[in-house]
Amino acid sequence: MRNIGYMFLNGLGTGETKWHENIMLKTWHRAGVDLVPAHINYYAHSSDELIDQVCTLARTMLKSHDGVAFVSESAGGSLALNALHILQDESVCAVIAHGRMRAGDLPRSNRNSLYRRAHLDTDSPATGFYEGVLKAEKTALALSADEKRRILILTQLTDMVVPLSTMTLPGVQTHRSIALGHTGAFFAHLIGNRDRIMAFAHQTLEGKV
């Protein structure tokens, strides 16, 4: 299986391409790979709507590709997990970079709590992100062995945005990069580990892992 489509699930935001995402997308393009942005708006849509958006795009991409790999980061991680589980398609895999897989046990007052990171204490809550993480907690419990095989999680040494303890999943392959912080991890994972991501997608979707 050589014709794999790559879909980028962005972190928290309105879906507009940010400066660091633009740099990353250009490096993939220069490598000859078209990484398709899903333009996820976590503020305007519910978790179910975002999952449907991603699944619809994945099914469209599968019409012209042998497989699809979700390349997700931060808030996009739980979305990638939920979409992969909903699709139930062996031609889809997910790479999750510094993503929040569960809420964690931090009090609401903590700035890194899901409640605060989803801005539920403001007039502009990221409801799609908040709901997605809670859904991912349930999804993780329902994952089959084959679904776990089709997921790669990328973590780093430190993160002041997403607690490291919320990034991993039992039974899922994890690679730890020598990177510090959330932004540092973005570049380490999605640029420095581009070849690792692509190798995982090819090997996994060809049934070689």
Side-chain angles (χ1 to χ4, degrees):
M1 182 184 295
R2 297 180 180 178
N3 184 20
I4 295 176
Y6 294 87
M7 184 196 307
F8 175 57
L9 306 185
N10 55 275
L12 194 61
T14 61
E16 295 185 11
T17 304
K18 300 176 181 178
W19 68 270
H20 59 292
E21 295 170 342
N22 191 46
I23 292 173
M24 180 272 296
L25 291 169
K26 286 181 178 178
T27 65
W28 281 67
H29 181 71
R30 284 197 295 267
V33 182
D34 185 18
L35 180 56
V36 179
H39 297 296
I40 303 300
N41 187 338
Y42 298 91
Y43 296 92
H45 303 286
S46 69
S47 173
D48 286 341
E49 289 172 335
L50 294 179
I51 293 171
D52 184 63
Q53 175 185 338
V54 171
C55 288
T56 298
L57 180 54
R59 293 185 181 107
T60 299
M61 292 176 68
L62 284 170
K63 293 178 181 178
S64 57
H65 297 82
D66 299 318
V68 169
F70 296 140
V71 180
S72 65
E73 66 103 4
S74 196
S78 54
L79 178 56
L81 181 72
N82 290 326
L84 180 138
H85 184 61
I86 290 293
L87 283 167
Q88 291 292 302
D89 192 322
E90 294 180 355
S91 298
V92 177
C93 68
V95 177
I96 300 171
H98 49 277
R100 192 166 196 147
M101 299 293 97
R102 51 189 170 277
D105 56 2
L106 297 173
R108 282 188 173 185
S109 58
N110 190 293
R111 66 188 181 90
N112 285 334
S113 68
L114 178 62
Y115 181 83
R116 292 281 296 276
R117 285 300 173 187
H119 308 305
L120 295 191
D121 57 339
T122 72
D123 294 331
S124 300
T127 308
F129 169 51
Y130 182 79
E131 295 174 345
V133 173
L134 298 184
K135 186 183 294 291
E137 291 183 342
K138 297 179 180 179
T139 297
L141 298 176
L143 291 175
S144 67
D146 183 67
E147 286 174 317
K148 291 181 178 181
R149 180 186 68 83
R150 290 185 280 116
I151 301 171
L152 170 64
I153 290 179
L154 303 177
T155 67
Q156 67 271 17
L157 299 178
T158 64
D159 196 311
M160 301 302 290
V161 176
V162 178
L164 296 176
S165 61
T166 67
M167 292 183 184
T168 58
L169 293 170
V172 172
Q173 180 181 344
T174 301
H175 172 75
R176 191 181 191 189
S177 297
I178 307 300
L180 302 175
H182 205 64
T183 302
F186 176 91
F187 289 107
H189 295 326
L190 301 186
I191 294 180
N193 281 320
R194 184 192 64 223
D195 290 345
R196 180 185 299 274
I197 291 172
M198 294 174 61
F200 172 79
H202 279 275
Q203 292 170 358
T204 300
L205 299 182
E206 289 173 4
K208 295 181 179 179
V209 174

